[in-house]
Amino acid sequence: MNSIKKIVAVTACPTGIAHTFMAAEALRKTAQVMGYDIKVETQGSEGVKTPLSAADIAEADLAIIGADIHVDASRFSGKPVYATSTSQAIRNTKAVIEEAIAEADQERQEDSEPLVPTPEDPPIPVPSAAPTSTVKHLVGITSCPTGIAHTFMAAEALRKAAVELGHEIKVETQGSVGAKNQLTAEEIAQADAVVIAADTHVDLSRFGGKRLYQTSTKQALKSGKAVIDSALTMPAPEAQSTNGQGGYLQSVQQVKTEQSAKRSSPYKHLLTGVSYMLPVIVAGGLIIALSFVFGLKPEPGSFGDALLQIGGKSAFALIVPVLSGFIAFSIADRPGLAPGLIGGMLASNLGMGFLGGIVAGFLAGYIALFVRDKVNVPANFEGLKPVLIIPLLSTLAVGLLLVYVFGAPVKAILDGMTAFLQSMGQTNAVILGLILGGMMAVDMGGPVNKAAYTFAVGLLASNVTQPMAAVMAAGMTPPLGMALATLMAKRQFTQEEREAGRVATVLGISFITEGAIPFAAKDPIRVLPACVAGSAVAGGLSMLFGCSLRAPHGGIFVLAIPNAVSQGGLYVVAIAIGTLVTGLTMTQLKRWQPKAAKHQPV
């Protein structure tokens, strides 16, 4: 039964002009036609108009927020709140009001009945024991589709609930202006539990090994204390077995996560850009390779020419902008994306290549961050920052710096490097292959490995493909070599290590260098030199044989694509010899230790 009689509403848009007042008028008229008493506050360019009084809010049965910017909803605490955009409030006014009323009635009904879990709201388990009086430390994230009202209301509800329970909590809000109050690695490490109150996707990779409770923003608003208690009473994650294939893969992932957490900020930002760029360059490179099935220079209008248009002139045109855009995104969140993408496209047009993309990404990110945090505007214009002020000022600054300061010198560096790589003799090519190959195995997924990989991937955009072949061959060698060693000298390895060797084979042929990490973690003195030796040989031989690779990933499977790899047979030989070097070196180094009885299978 509908118990709603009085409604209060707030409308706001970035410019504070048209949509703000159109949404207010639509809500006012439609609510009156539907028989409801409504009062609407507008937050526009001229300030707050028809402000809601404390008495208006106290008498209201429901609050509707029709906004495209952040609106402080803390004054509606204890009231059902429905959030939507101004465009929805204008176009589907009746549906918005009906849905808001239906949600409010449902909340009241749920409040009067025992809590029953629904598919939208995960069940809140009843604590098995009374909460302890010891102060607990929690971290949380709130996020909703619009990133406006519910995001911040849920965060405030969790803070208040934690304080009332005698605990401490820090909540990161992922809203329309990016992440605010961001959680640090130290804060996550110290947390007793994690609360994710979100109606959108949230990356959970930061919270491995922690009590993790997920719910909706609605549930956090309605039952903040219960959510906190539930998070704290969840069982601690059990230590996973390290035996067998699952345990081996988990140990690989665990080491990769630990390496990621230790990365310095600039390095982390660079790898974020590379990770988003990879799918673009992989798709583009493989489609270009497929186009060569129809000839190196397909006829205009042919199917081969269509593939070349897709891969070369479309996908490859996005490589530098995507790299730059997501470096900036990693630094400044959403506000950095526009100047990063535009700066990357400008760098590409100026002939600065992937080096220019890196420069543009860091410039865009840090300038956008500065504008977001340091440029203050009146409260009424705060909504303009993410859609006008930050993109405009940061894009102008980045563009002018690239054109007048960084463009010419970065282009000269790239042109010189490209010319050297394309014209270097056989001796220099082998030396480069040895260096890149060794770098791939030094830390297997760490900064040195990623520096070599990023260098090779960046050169693909300049049509320099031989270093990419050397890097991938060298990256496949460590896990393959360790797998070979477990077969050649079974008595030198435990049963668990021999089982891990089988898994490492699959990881190796898939170009997942980290497949050798668990071996290196247990015995770095022997494993790392063996892996570096084999990878250096594989990289050097790949360059010596003149192998080239147009795809930045895929492992041995890219051989199945015509023209993806040149000198395919010799490329396999280079990988095989590198693998053999690693395997033989490892077996010889293993003989330096006594054959302990514990190494024998029981």
Side-chain angles (χ1 to χ4, degrees), residues 64-214:
I64 297 176
I65 296 178
D68 306 315
I69 58 175
H70 171 52
V71 172
D72 182 13
S74 59
R75 52 183 170 154
F76 303 119
S77 179
K79 301 284 181 183
V81 178
Y82 181 84
T84 188
S85 63
T86 54
S87 60
Q88 281 293 101
I90 294 168
R91 297 171 186 169
N92 304 302
T93 316
K94 185 177 180 182
V96 165
I97 294 174
E98 288 176 343
E99 190 171 343
I101 291 170
E103 280 197 11
D105 284 338
Q106 182 180 358
E107 284 189 24
R108 283 191 169 86
Q109 183 178 358
E110 289 174 353
D111 289 340
S112 63
E113 297 176 356
L115 187 62
V116 177
T118 66
E120 292 78 15
D121 295 322
I124 295 182
V126 178
S128 56
T132 176
S133 59
T134 306
V135 175
K136 299 292 185 181
H137 301 276
L138 299 97
V139 294
I141 293 178
T142 59
S143 178
C144 67
T146 59
I148 304 172
H150 281 73
T151 297
F152 299 95
M153 291 164 60
E156 188 60 26
L158 289 173
R159 288 191 198 100
K160 287 182 177 179
V163 170
E164 291 174 8
L165 291 169
H167 303 310
E168 296 178 355
I169 188 171
K170 180 177 179 180
V171 184
E172 176 182 308
T173 55
Q174 297 185 358
S176 58
V177 293
K180 291 287 190 180
N181 201 34
Q182 289 179 305
L183 303 174
T184 65
E186 291 76 16
E187 289 165 340
I188 295 171
Q190 295 169 3
D192 296 298
V194 180
V195 177
I196 306 296
D199 308 315
T200 59
H201 171 69
V202 171
D203 181 12
L204 304 179
S205 60
R206 293 184 282 172
F207 308 113
K210 292 289 179 182
R211 292 184 178 90
L212 181 66
Y213 183 76
Q214 298 185 68

Side-chain angles (χ1 to χ4, degrees), residues 468-591:
M468 189 68 248
V471 162
M472 191 160 85
M476 295 165 64
T477 299
L480 289 175
M482 296 310 303
L484 179 62
T486 61
L487 295 175
M488 295 172 62
K490 294 183 178 181
R491 299 182 64 186
Q492 300 289 345
F493 294 91
T494 65
Q495 178 64 29
E496 179 184 338
E497 287 171 333
R498 291 198 292 272
E499 291 177 358
R502 290 194 287 270
V503 182
T505 303
V506 178
L507 297 178
I509 64 173
S510 303
F511 184 37
I512 301 175
T513 313
E514 292 88 346
I517 285 179
F519 290 97
K522 288 182 178 179
D523 191 7
I525 301 299
R526 296 175 177 84
V527 172
L528 289 180
C531 289
V532 170
S535 291
V537 169
L541 287 175
S542 175
M543 295 294 285
L544 177 65
F545 296 153
C547 302
S548 64
L549 176 65
R550 296 184 175 276
H553 217 291
I556 204 71
F557 304 105
V558 296
L559 290 170
I561 301 175
N563 299 308
V565 184
S566 70
Q567 307 292 341
L570 291 175
Y571 191 56
V572 174
V573 170
I575 296 170
I577 293 175
T579 299
L580 184 61
V581 169
T582 294
L584 289 173
T585 306
M586 186 63 204
T587 57
Q588 293 302 312
L589 292 175
K590 270 286 189 180
R591 289 176 182 172

Side-chain angles (χ1 to χ4, degrees), residues 62-414:
L62 167 66
I64 297 176
I65 296 178
D68 306 315
I69 58 175
H70 171 52
V71 172
D72 182 13
S74 59
R75 52 183 170 154
F76 303 119
S77 179
K79 301 284 181 183
V81 178
Y82 181 84
T84 188
S85 63
T86 54
S87 60
Q88 281 293 101
I90 294 168
R91 297 171 186 169
N92 304 302
T93 316
K94 185 177 180 182
V96 165
I97 294 174
E98 288 176 343
E99 190 171 343
I101 291 170
E103 280 197 11
D105 284 338
Q106 182 180 358
E107 284 189 24
R108 283 191 169 86
Q109 183 178 358
E110 289 174 353
D111 289 340
S112 63
E113 297 176 356
L115 187 62
V116 177
T118 66
E120 292 78 15
D121 295 322
I124 295 182
V126 178
S128 56
T132 176
S133 59
T134 306
V135 175
K136 299 292 185 181
H137 301 276
L138 299 97
V139 294
I141 293 178
T142 59
S143 178
C144 67
T146 59
I148 304 172
H150 281 73
T151 297
F152 299 95
M153 291 164 60
E156 188 60 26
L158 289 173
R159 288 191 198 100
K160 287 182 177 179
V163 170
E164 291 174 8
L165 291 169
H167 303 310
E168 296 178 355
I169 188 171
K170 180 177 179 180
V171 184
E172 176 182 308
T173 55
Q174 297 185 358
S176 58
V177 293
K180 291 287 190 180
N181 201 34
Q182 289 179 305
L183 303 174
T184 65
E186 291 76 16
E187 289 165 340
I188 295 171
Q190 295 169 3
D192 296 298
V194 180
V195 177
I196 306 296
D199 308 315
T200 59
H201 171 69
V202 171
D203 181 12
L204 304 179
S205 60
R206 293 184 282 172
F207 308 113
K210 292 289 179 182
R211 292 184 178 90
L212 181 66
Y213 183 76
Q214 298 185 68
T215 187
S216 62
T217 55
K218 175 182 171 184
Q219 195 72 15
L221 278 167
K222 186 174 68 172
S223 310
K225 289 184 181 180
V227 168
I228 297 289
D229 281 339
S230 299
L232 291 172
T233 53
M234 291 187 70
E238 296 180 3
Q240 298 289 330
S241 170
T242 56
N243 296 325
Q245 177 174 329
Y248 180 79
L249 293 174
Q250 184 192 354
S251 63
V252 171
Q253 186 59 44
Q254 181 180 352
V255 176
K256 290 174 69 175
T257 302
E258 290 172 357
Q259 286 182 335
S260 178
K262 293 176 182 176
R263 290 170 184 159
S264 61
S265 291
Y267 176 62
K268 180 183 71 174
H269 302 322
L270 174 62
L271 286 194
T272 299
V274 171
S275 68
Y276 280 98
M277 175 187 73
L278 271 180
V280 178
I281 201 169
V282 168
L286 293 179
I287 291 173
I288 290 174
L290 286 173
S291 74
F292 293 153
V293 174
F294 304 93
L296 294 179
K297 292 184 179 180
E299 290 292 326
S302 66
F303 186 71
D305 181 60
L307 293 177
L308 203 57
Q309 293 281 341
I310 296 168
K313 297 184 179 179
S314 298
F316 264 44
L318 287 173
I319 290 173
V320 175
V322 169
L323 172 66
S324 174
F326 283 96
I327 289 174
F329 175 80
S330 177
I331 296 168
D333 214 315
R334 290 187 229 179
L337 196 54
L341 290 169
I342 295 169
M345 181 60 74
L346 180 60
S348 183
N349 292 339
L350 292 173
M352 298 167 68
F354 80 99
L355 292 179
I358 294 172
V359 172
F362 280 102
L363 283 174
Y366 286 114
I367 291 173
L369 193 64
F370 176 83
V371 175
R372 188 189 78 178
D373 295 339
K374 302 299 182 182
V375 175
N376 298 316
V377 297
N380 293 334
F381 294 97
E382 190 68 28
L384 289 175
K385 286 184 74 172
V387 295
L388 176 61
I389 297 172
I390 297 175
L392 176 62
L393 295 182
S394 54
T395 300
L396 273 175
V398 171
L400 293 173
L401 285 171
L402 290 179
V403 172
Y404 292 109
V405 179
F406 295 102
V410 172
K411 183 178 185 299
I413 293 171
L414 181 71

Side-chain angles (χ1 to χ4, degrees), residues 33-49:
V33 169
M34 296 173 69
Y36 298 107
D37 181 4
I38 187 170
K39 293 185 178 181
V40 185
E41 173 185 301
T42 58
Q43 297 182 5
S45 56
E46 299 178 356
V48 177
K49 297 292 186 182

